[in-house]
Structures are given as structure tokens and as C-alpha cells.
Amino acid sequence: MIVADKKPIEEIIGEIKDYTTILILGCNECVTVCEAGGKKEVGILASALRMYFLNQGKDVTIDERTLERQCDHEYLEEIRDVADQYDAIVSLACGVGVQFTAEKYHAVPVIPGVNTCFLGATETRGLWTERCQACGECILARTGGICPVSRCAKRILNGPCGGASNGKCEINKELDCAWQLIIDRLKALGRLDDYENISPIKDWSTDRAGGPRRVVREDVQL
Amino acid sequence: MDLKNKFNAGEFVILAEIEPPKGVDISTMVTNATMVKGKADALLVPEMSNAVMRMSALGGAMILQGKVMETVMQVNCRDRNRLALQADLLAASACGITGIMAVTGEDPSFGDHQQAKAVYDIDLPELLDSIHKLQQGRDMAGIDLCGSPQFLVGSTVNPGLKGMALELELTEMKKKIDAGVEFLIMPPLFDLDSIEPFLKMVDHRKTHIIPTVLLLKSVGMARYIDRNMDHVHVSAQLIKRLQKAPDKVRECIKIASEMVSVLKREGFSGVLLSTIGWEDRLAEIIDGSKG
């Protein structure tokens, strides 16, 4: 999922302080799972903002809404009849949702309420860690299902850098060395011979070389 | 007199573009550069233009600065992060390079290493800011330098844009000048009328706008540029002139020389001569412009 983290409320206030009618717009997908931008967080942020403006003696209307997704036209259409009534929308969706909302409602400023961080997984409640950088050319089959692009600090593709100590990365003693994990996993799979193979030089053109990417699936297009 | 003083004195300056080699044989580069010694005012050394891998601008500029004459080293945001950019700028200054031209850099997809990952750790305004900081004696982390570089800083401007795009370009140009840019190189210019809206808004006699005079090599190239290069216009009249010329190469050189003369007469601060591989013709273009 896309993992996001809440923005400091001071930053959000800085962006909306001149408006008087504001919609806090949550998303029921990834940001709900990582507890940054779902219905619950919409309620918490709206309450905090109401309290702030009340203390400031400002009459500001803060409304709440949470859509199933903000990255789909279909769900964003649900606020078609009300969007223009607001001076601003604070979107608690990921960067995709913020942009899609802004594209759909040109006349209303759409302000991000979260920082979109990475593609990751829930390790335990309250701990999400990165697993994928969406490089566009998955090499997990060669690396025992552990991604050196997202999990190695140096993103190196042919074995450890030599800086790890006791299986931990040189940049942070709490961070596993991705290549130690890969080697352990390949060993467990009886495929350590794979480790001896030098990877072909990675084609980053599927990453961001060449600009924003598209996936076109003619077989599912209407 | 160095390039900075020539600009300040209002002299018309001629920059000659010399591409470093794709390899380590520098003989052709040095020979071509030596041919313009005493004719051009400085050599502009591009940093892997069009994202085609070749010797770095730093390497080329160091060699040419030592063996031939003053250089302007291009520095771009595509290939280096902030550590490497600053490190190379320090190296350049310590090796006597006093002129730099900061650019964004073309995407790797334009070049011959299309699988490369572009860096763009910092963008052009940030690069200009970091150059300013280095000149003030501090790096981007705010740490004091042991000796600070001093550069004549250039960048780019695109006067061929129209309408709102031109207005945005003028805003960008002002930002660059405010960030310490002292000269601005523009794309190839074949027709002054094509930048008339720009010239109405900018006093090119006060701002150091440096048009690129690109050496045409054939009728086909002229047509291609007119059809495919955004905001660069080659007039039908010029294409016809080339078509009719019995000696097309001589005519191409003559056209470039004439363009230099016209731009000098129009009060531009200078020109950049670009030949895309015909660098052995640079001297002829300059000679022709003075004749």
C-alpha cells in the first residue's frame, strides 16, 4: 500500500488560515490502513482545526467527508455538488488523491494534509516499512523476494557494500542489511548459487528516466 | 582581459563551443580549440550535451584551460548530486576555470544511455543558489570553505517563446539574474524577427543575452531545424539561398559569419558559435564575420 504520515497541524493551518469554509476529505484506502487519512483521522483533524479557529476567534466552517478512493473518477464525483462551496479542500489522501481531486475541481485549492512516504507494509500496529520503489522492472525473482532497490540504503544490486556489521546496515544499527537478508533467504531456498551471478546493469528507463510513467492495458480498456 | 572584464567593458564576445571527445584522445579537441586561439574570447565546454556520454566538461575545460585559452565549463543537474556538483565546482575553480554555465540538462532518454537514471538532486535555481553560496565561502550545508571559488556565471534563456510562455521565461530570467547569472545563452537564432516580442520586453544591450549561432551543414539540416526544433525559425528565404548555392558548405559558413556580424551590429553582448562536430570550421566563421 501507499504509506503516508500526518502533516504537522501547524503546516496545515498555515495553508488554510485565510479560508472560512473548508472540507477535510479523507480516503478509505491505503491512508486509512496506515492511519493517516481515513475517516478517523479526518474527524481528529477537523476537531483540532475547529478548536484552533475558535481560540483565534475566527468563524470557520470545517466539514468532513471520506470517499472510498480519491484516485478514481467515480468516487470523486460524489462531491461534485458540494466541492465548489468550499474555499479549500484539505485532502488526507496520498499525493495521487490530492492531485486527482485538484484536477477534477479546478476552482478550489486542494491542500495536502499528509506526507506521502513510500510503498510499504504494516509490520505491527503503528510501524510501516518500505518494501517497493516502483522501479518498473521487478527483480525480486532473482533476490529471494527481498528488494535491494527499496531496502538497501545504497540500492546496490550485486551483493553487500561491505559496510554492514552483524547483519545491520552501516547507516542505522536498527536497519537490516538488505543483502544479508537476501543471502539468508537464498540459502534457505537452496539457491545460493544465484547469488554468484552478476546482475545485468539495471535499466532505469522503467523508473523515472523519460518522465512520468503510464501503464496502458488495451485488453481492459472500454 | 578576461571574459568578465570584456562583458563589463561592453566588448562583443565570441564563445566557441568545443565538445570534449568520446574517448581519451584529446588531440582533435585541442587542435580545433587552438585554431580559434586569438579569434574567440573563450571556449564553451558542454557537459554531455543531449545526454550523450563523453568526457566531462570538467575534464575538457581543465585540458583546454591549461593548453589553449579561457574556458566556460557547463555544469548540469542531470548527472550529479549536490555533493558532486559542489566538489566539481571547487575542482574547476582550483584548476583555473573562471567561467561556468549552469543548465538543467536534457533527460537521459535523449541520449545514448537511455537506461541511465537521471539525478536532479537539485534543480537549476538551487544550483545557482549553491554556486552563490560557494562564492560566499560556504557549501550547501553551511560549512565554511577553505578558500572560495569565484566564477563568471552564465545560464540559459529562450527568447523564441511566445505569449504566456515568454512571460514565464522572463520571470525565470529575472530569477536567474537575481541569483547572480551574468550572461544568458539562447538557442540557435537564424532570424531576428522570430524573437521580436522578447526584444521588445528586454533590453539586450543591457542584459548579456548571447544568441547561439549554429552552423548549418546542409539544406536538410536547415529544414529539419525549422520543422522540428521548437521556437527556432529558419526562414524559407535562407533555405532557398542554401538550395541555390553552388558550394553549400561555404555558404553555410558564410551564413554563420553574417549572423555573427548582424548580432554584433544589433548590439548583442556576444555570440556562442556551435558547429556540432565541425569545430575545425570555427575559425573560418569568426574570420568571415570580421571580413
Side-chain angles (χ1 to χ4, degrees):
Chain A
M1 68 177 155
I2 296 169
V3 177
D5 199 6
K6 288 189 257 187
K7 270 190 182 292
I9 191 161
E10 297 78 14
E11 187 182 333
I12 297 172
I13 289 168
E15 296 292 342
I16 63 170
K17 62 183 187 307
D18 298 328
Y19 301 126
T20 53
T21 54
I22 297 156
L23 175 65
I24 312 294
L25 191 63
C27 179
N28 251 340
E29 294 286 348
C30 312
V31 288
T32 296
V33 182
C34 64
E35 304 189 39
K39 191 174 180 183
K40 183 182 75 180
E41 290 74 32
V42 166
I44 293 168
L45 178 63
S47 299
L49 290 173
R50 284 186 199 113
M51 206 174 296
Y52 169 81
F53 286 119
L54 194 65
N55 285 336
Q56 297 292 310
K58 282 190 72 176
D59 185 16
V60 177
T61 302
I62 310 270
D63 287 341
E64 304 172 29
R65 188 85 176 254
T66 298
L67 302 179
E68 191 57 32
R69 276 198 289 279
Q70 288 186 36
C71 55
D72 253 326
H73 289 295
E74 179 188 348
Y75 297 109
L76 271 177
E77 279 300 323
E78 291 175 12
I79 58 165
R80 168 71 59 197
D81 53 341
V82 295
D84 292 344
Q85 297 167 14
Y86 294 99
D87 295 333
I89 296 172
V90 176
S91 166
L92 298 195
C94 68
V96 181
V98 175
Q99 291 183 66
F100 226 46
T101 306
E103 284 168 29
K104 211 158 190 66
Y105 301 107
H106 296 266
V108 189
V110 181
I111 292 145
V114 301
N115 290 318
T116 306
C117 301
F118 50 77
L119 301 181
T122 310
E123 294 256 9
T124 58
R125 178 91 193 263
L127 174 62
W128 296 271
T129 54
E130 186 165 15
R131 287 291 185 278
C132 179
Q133 291 205 343
C135 71
E137 191 202 25
C138 193
I139 57 167
L140 285 168
R142 294 205 305 269
T143 56
I146 293 155
C147 175
V149 178
S150 61
R151 299 184 68 183
C152 168
K154 296 174 183 171
R155 301 189 197 182
I156 56 177
L157 303 177
N158 282 291
C161 65
S165 167
N166 298 321
K168 299 294 180 186
C169 177
E170 66 181 11
I171 67 156
N172 183 343
K173 286 194 171 89
E174 291 181 11
L175 190 67
D176 288 325
C177 166
W179 274 99
Q180 184 67 56
L181 297 176
I182 292 168
I183 291 164
D184 291 346
R185 177 94 169 123
L186 289 175
K187 203 183 283 180
L189 293 171
R191 284 179 41 207
L192 207 50
D193 286 351
D194 287 3
Y195 172 63
E196 301 294 328
N197 299 327
I198 299 289
S199 295
I201 294 175
K202 186 164 172 59
D203 178 359
W204 289 105
S205 66
T206 56
D207 191 71
R208 278 300 307 272
R213 295 165 287 176
R214 289 151 48 104
V215 172
V216 180
R217 284 272 312 275
E218 288 180 0
D219 59 323
V220 296
Q221 283 179 337
L222 295 174
Chain B
M1 201 190 294
D2 66 10
L3 198 57
K4 190 182 180 89
N5 285 323
K6 284 178 182 169
F7 273 129
N8 290 340
E11 282 191 28
F12 182 77
V13 302
I14 296 180
L15 303 175
E17 187 177 86
I18 299 281
E19 285 271 14
K22 194 176 180 78
V24 295
D25 181 353
I26 58 167
S27 56
T28 304
M29 174 182 78
V30 172
T31 303
N32 290 337
T34 305
M35 285 165 68
V36 296
K37 193 172 182 177
K39 298 175 190 284
D41 296 285
L43 306 171
L44 189 132
V45 188
E47 175 67 320
M48 291 183 271
S49 47
N50 296 311
V52 173
M53 196 290 296
R54 49 179 63 244
M55 183 186 287
S56 68
L58 175 60
M62 278 170 59
I63 293 162
L64 294 172
Q65 183 90 25
K67 289 181 183 288
V68 187
M69 62 188 289
E70 185 175 354
T71 56
V72 175
M73 179 187 91
Q74 214 179 58
V75 52
N76 75 36
C77 307
R78 180 192 61 223
D79 306 318
R80 291 170 174 79
N81 69 6
R82 67 190 76 185
L83 290 170
L85 284 166
Q86 293 179 100
D88 283 356
L89 287 166
L90 296 183
S93 180
C95 291
I97 295 163
T98 53
I100 52 174
M101 176 189 172
V103 299
T104 301
E106 300 91 347
D107 190 87
S109 59
F110 286 95
D112 62 354
H113 284 61
Q114 297 180 355
Q115 298 185 348
K117 181 192 278 186
V119 178
Y120 297 119
D121 175 33
I122 55 174
D123 63 18
L124 184 53
E126 290 168 330
L127 173 59
L128 291 172
D129 184 55
S130 73
I131 292 166
H132 178 70
K133 284 195 174 86
L134 292 176
Q135 297 192 106
Q136 300 294 311
R138 285 172 188 265
D139 66 13
M140 286 179 80
I143 297 167
D144 286 340
L145 301 176
C146 176
S148 54
Q150 294 304 319
F151 293 117
L152 169 71
V153 183
S155 191
T156 54
V157 68
N158 190 349
L161 297 167
K162 301 282 182 306
M164 178 61 92
L166 178 59
E167 283 175 32
L168 290 173
E169 185 69 3
L170 291 175
T171 307
E172 290 300 313
M173 185 179 86
K174 186 178 178 310
K175 279 190 208 166
K176 288 172 184 171
I177 292 169
D178 290 346
V181 166
E182 293 178 73
F183 67 95
L184 293 142
I185 306 263
M186 58 170 281
L189 180 65
F190 298 95
D191 179 5
L192 266 175
D193 290 345
S194 67
I195 60 164
E196 202 186 336
F198 176 84
L199 295 177
K200 278 183 182 164
M201 289 190 260
V202 175
D203 185 350
H204 66 283
R205 290 166 198 273
K206 285 186 183 164
T207 311
H208 298 316
I209 305 290
I210 312 290
T212 296
V213 173
L214 176 65
L215 176 64
L216 295 170
K217 296 175 179 174
S218 64
V219 175
M221 179 179 172
R223 274 207 201 101
Y224 181 87
I225 288 172
D226 188 50
R227 286 176 189 162
N228 298 297
M229 275 184 78
D230 288 341
H231 322 299
V232 180
H233 174 59
V234 184
S235 69
Q237 196 184 356
L238 192 65
I239 292 171
K240 200 167 278 178
R241 176 179 161 186
L242 259 183
Q243 277 172 327
K244 283 183 181 170
D247 183 341
K248 299 217 170 3
V249 171
R250 185 173 293 276
E251 199 65 19
C252 286
I253 291 168
K254 205 172 161 198
I255 288 167
S257 298
E258 285 173 11
M259 197 65 204
V260 175
S261 305
V262 166
L263 294 168
K264 186 176 181 182
R265 201 167 55 236
E266 289 293 322
F268 283 87
S269 303
V271 288
L272 167 65
L273 298 182
S274 175
T275 59
I276 317 181
W278 283 14
E279 288 157 349
D280 55 337
R281 306 287 183 154
L282 281 165
E284 286 176 68
I285 300 171
I286 301 172
D287 289 342
S289 73
K290 288 172 180 168

